[in-house]
Amino acid sequence: MRFDVLTLFPEMFPGYLGQSLLKLAIQRGLVDVKLHDIRDWAKDKHKSVDDRPFGGGPGMVLRVEPVVECVEAVREEKDSASNAKDSQVRPGRLVMLTPQGRKLDQPLVEELAAEERLILLCGRYEGFDQRVRDILEPDEISVGDYVLNGGEVAAMVVIDAVIRLIPGVLGDEQSSQQDSFSASRRHLLEFSQYTRPREFRGHQVPEVLLSGDHQQIAAWREEESRRKTEQRRGDLLSPRESGE
Ligand code: ADE
């Protein structure tokens, strides 16, 4: 799967891209992340990408020309296939990261993971000139009801959640299906996990997990998930399950 990230701060990404699962996924060719500096599409000699809002008010607004031209150029880019003859343009789904967007949840992550290519447009300052939306008609996505300093961290959240669902990215094919909010466990949080030592400062690992009885362990985990969900996130349980 290919991600294109359009940002004014491409240098925020290499640290994140170079770690853990994502690094391995990139090395294995399962994921490709291309960074694009919106400033490269600035027109004037000062390379300005923002300006004061018409009508007055605080802050700066991202200008329409560099953003639209950057997206258009990136959309036209071919895949970097090793065999040039096979390379093709895949227009991809354009996502603008903004607190005004549809709130990201696991069903939306699943929808995004089904795409071959995601183009993630990160904003800064007080937002985008409205004509960016009018012309490009992106899907607008928010990672939560709070305001970040820009879309970069939100883009990393999207990439992080999506790559877990790409076959082969997780070591164990089962493990993303066990995640809280995944399709098979949409309404349950994850059960508690333990590893060695069996006792620490008087806190014991539950006996059942040491029993070797897989049926009992599965039943205990199911019950744990249910209890935790009821306690913390009753809103996830359907009215029937929560006894309403
Ligand atoms: N940019 C600033 N705040 C954001 C949020 N909550 N989600 C996505 N992009 C953002």
Side-chain angles (χ1 to χ4, degrees):
M1 179 168 185
R2 172 168 168 167
F3 297 89
D4 290 270
V5 182
L6 282 55
T7 168
L8 291 169
F9 298 95
E11 60 281 10
M12 286 176 73
F13 286 84
Y16 162 64
L17 297 175
Q19 299 300 317
S20 179
L21 276 182
L22 189 48
K23 178 183 174 183
L24 279 175
I26 293 170
Q27 281 172 352
R28 292 200 204 122
L30 299 168
V31 172
D32 188 13
V33 185
K34 297 250 179 296
L35 300 171
H36 308 272
D37 190 341
I38 297 171
R39 205 173 290 280
D40 292 343
W41 275 265
K43 296 274 164 221
D44 60 340
K45 65 173 192 284
H46 302 294
K47 295 251 167 218
S48 72
V49 286
D50 58 327
D51 211 336
R52 292 185 304 269
F54 280 124
M60 301 289 270
V61 175
L62 280 173
R63 296 170 61 126
V64 60
E65 319 96 297
V67 176
V68 166
E69 287 175 16
C70 180
V71 169
E72 285 173 348
V74 168
R75 272 181 167 157
E76 286 303 307
E77 272 187 16
K78 290 196 168 127
D79 279 345
S80 48
S82 47
N83 179 350
K85 269 187 280 170
D86 286 349
S87 67
Q88 48 171 323
V89 177
R90 291 182 291 171
R93 177 160 165 179
L94 178 64
V95 170
M96 175 190 274
L97 284 315
T98 154
Q100 300 170 27
R102 173 176 164 193
K103 213 193 288 181
L104 188 70
D105 57 11
Q106 197 65 21
L108 179 51
V109 170
E110 285 163 18
E111 205 183 300
L112 297 174
E115 301 284 341
E116 289 189 337
R117 182 183 185 196
L118 288 180
I119 301 175
L120 304 174
L121 178 56
C122 306
R124 282 266 146 180
Y125 312 112
E126 297 305 307
F128 295 92
D129 185 307
Q130 174 58 31
R131 291 166 293 183
V132 170
R133 293 179 167 89
D134 298 342
I135 294 167
L136 297 172
E137 300 183 333
D139 286 337
E140 297 185 38
I141 293 181
S142 161
V143 294
D145 289 339
Y146 40 80
V147 180
L148 300 168
N149 289 320
E152 285 76 12
V153 173
M156 291 183 210
V157 169
V158 169
I159 295 172
D160 213 87
V162 166
I163 63 152
R164 295 177 61 76
L165 304 185
I166 298 174
V169 167
L170 297 184
D172 176 354
E173 279 298 315
Q174 292 293 308
S175 52
S176 76
Q177 290 167 26
Q178 289 297 318
D179 285 351
S180 304
F181 310 113
S182 68
S184 58
R185 304 188 64 81
R186 182 78 75 221
H187 307 292
L188 291 177
L189 299 180
E190 264 183 277
F191 48 78
S192 307
Q193 295 273 30
Y194 297 85
T195 185
R196 291 186 298 173
R198 289 178 178 212
E199 190 252 291
F200 181 66
R201 296 186 183 171
H203 293 255
Q204 309 279 349
V205 174
E207 205 59 44
V208 59
L209 298 179
L210 311 173
S211 68
D213 181 333
H214 296 295
Q215 249 183 333
Q216 272 202 42
I217 291 171
W220 180 87
R221 286 179 164 167
E222 188 67 21
E223 184 46 37
E224 254 280 298
S225 279
R226 204 159 283 282
R227 189 190 56 73
K228 228 179 191 177
T229 311
E230 255 163 29
Q231 206 176 52
R232 300 177 181 201
R233 292 291 308 272
D235 58 301
L236 293 177
L237 297 168
S238 67
R240 185 176 51 78
E241 280 178 291
S242 62
E244 282 170 32

